[in-house]
Amino acid sequence: MRSSRVWLVIAALVGATLLALAQQAPSPEEEVARQKKLILEQSGILPGELYAAQGEDLFKKKRGPNNVSLEGCDFGLGAGKTEGAYAELPRYFADTNRVEDLDTRIVTCMVSLQGFKAADIKRSDVVAIAAYVASKSNGRPVKVRLDDVKEVAVYAMGKQLWYTRAGAQDFSCAVCHETNGGKRIRLQRLALVQADKVASHWPAYRFSNDQLWTMEDRIRGCYKQTRVTEPNYYSDAIIALSLYMSVAANGADVDAPGFVR
Amino acid sequence: MRKITLFLLLLGLALAASPMQDRLEQTIKSGGEKFAKDLLTRDEGQAICSQYRDKLPAVQVQGFLDKQRALIKYPADNKLIGDWKEGEKIFTAAARGNCYACHTADPKEAAAGNVGPSLTGYGARGNSDPIVKYTYEKIYNAWAYSPCSTMYRAGVHGILKPEEVANVVAFLIDPASPVNKK
């Protein structure tokens, strides 16, 4: 009798502690801010900036069979002009007759300027260079236009893909990131891709897996989580979705590389 | 005259729709063979939901529900309430039901999502035949009740066999299940 009363008290105490812990648990946004502060305190620099610095090296170094740097690459504002270029990507490029996103444009220049074979290009190099080029648009508003007919067409494809329900879990991009955006999967908040204008802070460093991801990686990650095979890098499918999300981010200031969970 | 106008209008729509579909198919194929296979082998329900962006026109709802209902299979012994302990394993495992991603159930599970409604205390609805049948069918094919809703069709896609769906039903309804423990 007596021992059962003791157990009751213990159970009540444990319960109260758990409840207090649950109430103290930080919101996902607080957790991101806390992690960011922690890393800044420990190392004085954010990992995303390290990637961008590495990307700057790769960008300026003479590389590839042609032994030239990427400084002559045209990201849409003219050869060699990187300031503000990312804020207007993806866009149509006449030289390839194709709408290209940042990742794809980097690959285009590594092939056409530096003479790399597309198959030999390391994904990690593209990611680092993307972090650098994107950072050159920081503080500028996203301004992705649909001026060319090809841009209009690719945007329409992106929008269709956004709403395409597929795979064994019947997901579409919209199910998580529009219809249920702001709610939580387990404890992770689902981004409202359009309303939160998330494309403005990609590429981003993800502290949950300690990697820098571009929007292409993020799109592939989404498909993988929904048990659908990821689309190829630099494919029209992935560029179309990227264009669709970038237009939704118009007006938001670029903050890249971002810092996300 | 009106009929001809209507005919031309419909013809125009049909012609306009098909290049769009062709272009979408080409775009999808650019993503690689496996990606294309996953996206282009959508079933009829997925195709309709994609087309209408999950908001079916009212006139289509009944037909959609009927077709989804026809996809539901039942356990051989027709027992719709199985073993709640087995159901709990399925409900919890990320590679099986992964239900906690969206629903609260056992109140002790703190890391439950909130995309779907809370299922804690679900057993309070009782275990009458209509409740049990609804619960089974909803888990097997959520679209038989709510067209194009978020919840995936665990039975239709073969992620859960009929007997496994019955086990999850038990986890929700059995008074001994932690879902229903105060």
Side-chain angles (χ1 to χ4, degrees), chain A residues 158-166 170-182 190-194 222-223 226 241 244-245, chain B residues 49-50 52-55 115 148-150:
Chain A
K159 192 168 186 177
Q160 292 228 27
L161 281 172
W162 177 261
Y163 290 104
T164 295
R165 299 196 70 163
D170 292 316
F171 277 114
S172 65
C173 307
V175 163
C176 283
H177 294 296
E178 185 173 339
T179 312
N180 292 293
L190 290 165
L192 267 164
V193 163
Q194 293 115 317
C222 273
Y223 275 117
T226 66
L241 273 170
Y244 177 69
M245 292 190 277
Chain B
C49 293
S50 306
Y52 292 105
R53 297 179 191 166
D54 301 333
K55 293 175 190 78
V115 169
C148 312
S149 59
T150 297

Side-chain angles (χ1 to χ4, degrees), chain B residues 32-96:
Chain B
E33 221 172 282
K34 285 184 176 168
F35 175 72
K37 185 170 167 274
D38 285 353
L39 257 72
L40 296 174
T41 53
R42 282 174 296 161
D43 70 9
E44 193 190 348
Q46 289 177 331
I48 293 172
C49 293
S50 306
Q51 185 187 345
Y52 292 105
R53 297 179 191 166
D54 301 333
K55 293 175 190 78
L56 276 197
V59 291
Q60 292 216 24
V61 170
Q62 196 53 53
F64 184 96
L65 293 176
D66 291 344
K67 277 192 176 165
Q68 291 300 320
R69 172 162 304 275
L71 298 174
I72 300 176
K73 295 190 173 70
Y74 300 87
D77 59 6
N78 224 15
K79 254 186 76 188
L80 302 188
I81 307 182
D83 176 342
W84 73 258
K85 286 182 180 162
E86 288 304 313
E88 180 173 30
K89 286 184 207 161
I90 294 166
F91 193 96
T92 307
R96 302 302 325 277

Side-chain angles (χ1 to χ4, degrees), chain A:
Chain A
M1 183 69 195
R2 188 148 177 207
S3 78
S4 79
R5 210 174 283 164
V6 171
W7 279 114
L8 263 180
V9 171
I10 292 175
L13 281 174
V14 169
T17 314
L18 282 176
L19 196 69
L21 277 175
Q23 281 164 348
Q24 275 168 12
S27 72
E29 294 79 5
E30 286 166 350
E31 179 61 11
V32 170
R34 195 181 72 86
Q35 290 284 343
K36 196 170 176 177
K37 193 164 158 261
L38 211 64
I39 291 178
L40 268 175
E41 279 169 5
Q42 282 167 359
S43 52
I45 188 166
L46 289 172
E49 294 171 41
L50 293 175
Y51 279 99
Q54 185 200 344
E56 183 173 9
D57 280 349
L58 288 166
F59 187 85
K60 292 182 172 165
K61 211 156 114 189
K62 291 177 178 164
R63 298 175 73 225
N66 298 345
N67 199 33
V68 291
S69 79
L70 282 172
E71 286 161 308
C73 184
D74 180 358
F75 287 96
L77 302 180
K81 191 155 173 12
T82 51
E83 301 276 340
Y86 175 59
E88 299 183 28
L89 288 176
R91 71 191 299 156
Y92 171 75
F93 288 90
D95 56 359
T96 53
N97 188 27
R98 192 181 175 205
V99 173
E100 295 181 314
D101 63 359
L102 176 59
D103 305 42
T104 310
R105 192 61 188 168
I106 290 167
V107 169
T108 294
C109 286
M110 288 177 80
V111 171
S112 64
L113 288 179
Q114 295 183 310
F116 282 108
K117 285 195 189 112
D120 295 341
I121 292 173
K122 281 202 318 214
R123 177 66 195 156
S124 58
D125 287 356
V126 177
V127 169
I129 294 165
Y132 167 67
V133 176
S135 74
K136 303 288 276 180
S137 288
N138 275 343
R140 294 167 193 259
V142 177
K143 205 169 73 183
V144 177
R145 283 173 297 237
L146 301 176
D147 293 337
D148 190 273
V149 285
K150 282 238 164 70
E151 291 165 349
V152 175
V154 171
Y155 177 85
M157 293 301 107
K159 192 168 186 177
Q160 292 228 27
L161 281 172
W162 177 261
Y163 290 104
T164 295
R165 299 196 70 163
Q169 291 196 328
D170 292 316
F171 277 114
S172 65
C173 307
V175 163
C176 283
H177 294 296
E178 185 173 339
T179 312
N180 292 293
K183 293 182 184 169
R184 286 184 289 103
I185 290 281
R186 288 282 186 168
L187 293 183
Q188 187 170 1
R189 179 184 180 273
L190 290 165
L192 267 164
V193 163
Q194 293 115 317
D196 293 348
K197 297 182 180 286
V198 300
S200 61
H201 65 248
W202 288 86
Y205 169 76
R206 308 183 77 212
F207 67 81
S208 61
N209 65 0
D210 186 30
Q211 284 175 14
L212 192 98
W213 277 19
T214 73
M215 189 50 100
E216 290 214 0
D217 297 300
R218 186 66 193 92
I219 291 167
R220 284 165 55 92
C222 273
Y223 275 117
K224 196 175 176 186
Q225 280 181 311
T226 66
R227 305 185 193 181
V228 171
T229 310
E230 308 96 301
N232 292 338
Y233 284 115
Y234 323 122
S235 62
D236 289 341
I238 220 165
I239 293 168
L241 273 170
S242 187
L243 176 62
Y244 177 69
M245 292 190 277
S246 295
V247 167
N250 272 342
D253 287 346
V254 174
D255 176 21
F259 187 94
V260 300
R261 187 176 183 283

Side-chain angles (χ1 to χ4, degrees), chain B residues 20-35:
Chain B
M20 190 75 160
Q21 281 310 310
D22 286 353
R23 215 183 293 150
L24 183 63
E25 208 173 304
Q26 270 177 14
T27 304
I28 288 171
K29 282 179 177 163
S30 77
E33 221 172 282
K34 285 184 176 168
F35 175 72

